[in-house]
């Protein structure tokens, strides 16, 4: 017999991923489908529910083997109401009661959180934070996303907008950010930021092994920068090191705010592995205070792109109380 | 008949304050006595208990009118064990099981937290945060102390050292801090920091209306700086404004970490009132992101030096469940 599972749904602007996840955080079966970002919310939610139901069916699971469903959704969300307030990637979505609509279609309770929080809960519950205590995930992608777990619960804040750690100011009057601030850490230490900073430096005349790509109009990303930096390209290495330094400063600030057991680095930039982690750890130790007893562990994420579905399912397991 | 009260104890390196506090956070009676920092912990705790018992007696309260006791203590503390690990101001104290010892002497349960957290809980429960949601207190004194309340609970962190917000780095490679870091916000925006920065500038040749005091060997504090700044002394005004700017940056970072309903400014520097608050609020609005819906209220503390005893009593009320 199939063991009990929770349905995890990772709803993105491009794809929807669904998985059946055991109470140990293992994926038993998964499926995905495209998101039609222009379709009415009703039909997007109906397709999401159908994808989940056909996965349950193909896995041969009966209704009493499903403990519930969890959903990670683009936001901002209103957690009390269970609505998507709006979304950059889903232009027609305004105050959509997604939790209730999906619960109705699935015939079961749905645990809802935003995509960054679902991924953080996944890493906390079944990945790099498994078995540990208070936990912070930094996702180094297009921006610097984050999720914080305190006493086993995701932190939402009074206005549902806690853990926007990418917008922590680390350089007073520093680089402008799309959010309206200056000096946000995500302008220095996200996958996009390192690629953008190398590109701008080359366009301003700096020499680099990446000059040919940039001059030829090719898009560069953080993987190119990490590779060039580890090959010794001075420009790439300087910008990579600066990113690691600002991540280390962010880790010091997280140490003194949440004082977590671990801070985990995920997202595209974390694919550089030890070339990222070792530099962040070294700079963290150089910059944090002398007291040694309250230092967080800094680790790499382990679930990759599955963190979101696993975390969504983890929220369903948590909600079920099983 | 006297209404039910909790005993609040604010244990400092110089004085012990005790109060009987109603469930609305009103002080019904209070007393204080000196702390003999060199005496053995047993006798200090015995005196603290005697002070509380004689206050209860003089207020005519019977045992069944006391719902419990709360204690704000210097730390660091081990919350699980209820011990004072050590204390700068109490040199002979090492791993003292203060919670158990005081409970034994008083004959009732004791809720324990550190002094900064007790003051924060006081302002949250009965002061500037009363009736609101998630809450952060910044105490601008010798250092920059802080306490954070999330979902009604003080935040402790995995290593019992959360909310050390004075050691948030706001200037990479900035001013050295006694903690071993560089650029901690408390080096720019505590009562001591503004006085020290004015003093150093004068000693380096800057002119100021405070030059005579400094050259004559008089101690200056943040009150002198605030007064000189509001009288138009350019040096004092520049350093006061910089302190307000760094406090505003700290508030932006707190907005994006905890996303609280309010951030409250207390401690000696907050005695400047609107001359502090208005500048911090203005600079906060200039520096935070465009989104308006998640902005914390920034307010002045209202309980002054009673925040600690009131908060300690509040923790006892909370623990009693009444």
């Amino acid at each position: 017999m199939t063991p009990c599972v929770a349905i995890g749904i990772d709803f993105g602007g491009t794809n929807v991923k669904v998985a059946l996840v055991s109470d140990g955080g293992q994926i038993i079966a998964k499926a995905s489908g495209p998101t039609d970002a222009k379709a009415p919310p009703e039909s997007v939610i109906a397709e999401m529910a159908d994808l989940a139901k056909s996965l349950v069916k193909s896995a041969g699971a009966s209704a009493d083997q499903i403990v519930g469903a969890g959903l990670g959704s683009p936001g901002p969300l209103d957690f009390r109401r269970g609505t998507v307030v709006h979304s950059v990637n889903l232009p027609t979505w305004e105050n959509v009661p997604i939790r209730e609509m999906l619960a109705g279609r699935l015939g079961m309770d749905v645990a809802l959180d935003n995509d960054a929080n679902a991924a953080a809960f996944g890493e906390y519950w079944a990945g790099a934070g498994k078995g540990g205590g208070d936990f912070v995930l930094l996702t180094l992608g297009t921006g610097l996303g984050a999720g914080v777990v305190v006493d086993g619960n995701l932190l939402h804040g009074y206005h549902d907008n806690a853990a926007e750690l990418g917008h922590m100011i680390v350089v007073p009057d520093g680089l402008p950010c799309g959010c309206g601030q200056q000096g946000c850490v995500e302008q220095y230490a996200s996958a996009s930021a390192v690629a953008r900073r190398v590109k701008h430096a080359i366009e301003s005349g700096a020499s680099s092994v990446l000059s040919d790509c940039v001059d030829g109009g090719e898009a560069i990303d953080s993987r190119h920068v990490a590779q060039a930096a580890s090959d010794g390209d001075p420009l790439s290495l300087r910008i990579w090191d600066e990113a690691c330094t600002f991540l280390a400063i962010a880790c010091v600030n997280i140490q003194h705010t949440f004082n977590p057991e671990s801070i985990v680095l995920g997202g595209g930039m974390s694919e550089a592995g030890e070339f990222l982690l070792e530099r962040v750890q070294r700079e963290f130790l150089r910059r944090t205070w002398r007291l040694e007893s309250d230092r967080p562990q800094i680790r790499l994420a382990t679930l990759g792109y599955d963190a979101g579905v696993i975390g969504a399912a983890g929220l369903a397991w948590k909600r079920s109380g099983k």
Side-chain angles (χ1 to χ4, degrees), chain A:
Chain A
M1 190 187 105
T2 315
C4 282
V5 292
I7 300 170
I9 304 176
D10 182 4
F11 171 34
T14 313
N15 280 289
V16 178
K17 289 190 276 184
V18 180
L20 305 183
V21 179
S22 73
D23 62 352
Q26 295 294 314
I27 292 180
I28 308 296
K30 63 178 172 177
S32 67
T35 298
D36 183 353
K38 290 176 186 157
E42 296 72 31
S43 68
V44 174
I45 293 166
E47 285 194 26
M48 196 184 296
D50 288 346
L51 189 66
K53 286 191 274 190
S54 53
L55 182 65
V56 169
K57 195 173 173 188
S58 68
S62 61
D64 61 355
Q65 288 173 314
I66 310 292
V67 299
L71 172 65
S73 168
L77 308 178
D78 180 325
F79 293 104
R80 288 163 200 91
R81 294 180 182 170
T83 56
V84 175
V85 179
H86 59 87
S87 168
V88 174
N89 296 321
L90 303 164
T92 64
W93 289 52
E94 289 286 336
N95 295 313
V96 175
I98 193 170
R99 184 169 61 204
E100 206 172 282
M101 290 167 74
L102 184 63
R105 295 241 167 220
L106 290 177
M108 67 184 76
D109 278 350
V110 171
L112 172 69
D113 218 307
N114 67 48
D115 38 17
N117 278 346
F121 196 78
E123 288 287 349
Y124 163 75
W125 177 58
K130 189 168 182 172
D134 296 352
F135 170 92
V136 176
L137 176 69
L138 301 180
T139 302
L140 314 173
T142 309
L144 194 164
V148 175
V149 179
V150 173
D151 291 337
N153 299 307
L154 283 162
L155 186 77
H156 290 124
Y158 184 75
H159 299 286
D160 285 349
N161 223 4
E164 285 282 356
L165 303 184
H167 298 283
M168 188 192 292
I169 295 174
V170 290
V171 182
D173 304 310
L175 292 174
C177 182
C179 76
Q181 296 182 179
Q182 286 183 268
C184 295
V185 65
E186 81 169 27
Q187 292 303 316
Y188 300 87
S190 61
S192 301
V194 296
R196 188 170 57 240
R197 295 188 75 205
V198 166
K199 184 166 174 281
H200 286 180
I202 291 171
E203 286 167 352
S204 302
S207 68
S208 164
V209 297
L210 296 172
S211 299
D212 285 351
C213 302
V214 170
D215 294 342
E218 282 179 54
I220 59 168
D221 64 23
S222 66
R223 291 169 195 83
H224 300 101
V225 178
Q227 186 60 54
S230 67
D231 291 346
D233 178 56
L235 174 68
S236 299
L237 190 58
R238 177 173 67 77
I239 286 172
W240 187 263
D241 277 346
E242 282 182 19
C244 294
T245 294
F246 284 111
L247 281 174
I249 290 173
C251 289
V252 172
N253 290 355
I254 290 165
Q255 173 187 11
H256 300 321
T257 46
F258 300 110
N259 206 221
E261 188 266 336
S262 61
I263 301 173
V264 170
L265 309 178
M269 198 173 151
S270 73
E271 292 170 17
E274 289 298 319
F275 190 65
L276 175 76
L277 182 64
E278 190 270 336
R279 279 154 200 265
V280 174
Q281 286 173 328
R282 187 176 58 201
E283 205 59 34
F284 172 80
L285 292 176
R286 209 172 75 75
R287 289 175 182 269
T288 189
W289 66 12
R290 282 185 213 99
L291 183 69
E292 292 184 15
S293 60
D294 78 334
R295 290 183 183 162
Q297 298 291 316
I298 305 176
R299 302 192 192 106
L300 293 168
T302 62
L303 302 181
Y305 294 106
D306 287 335
V309 273
I310 293 174
L315 291 169
W317 273 107
K318 184 175 193 308
R319 185 186 171 110
S320 77
K322 284 175 185 165

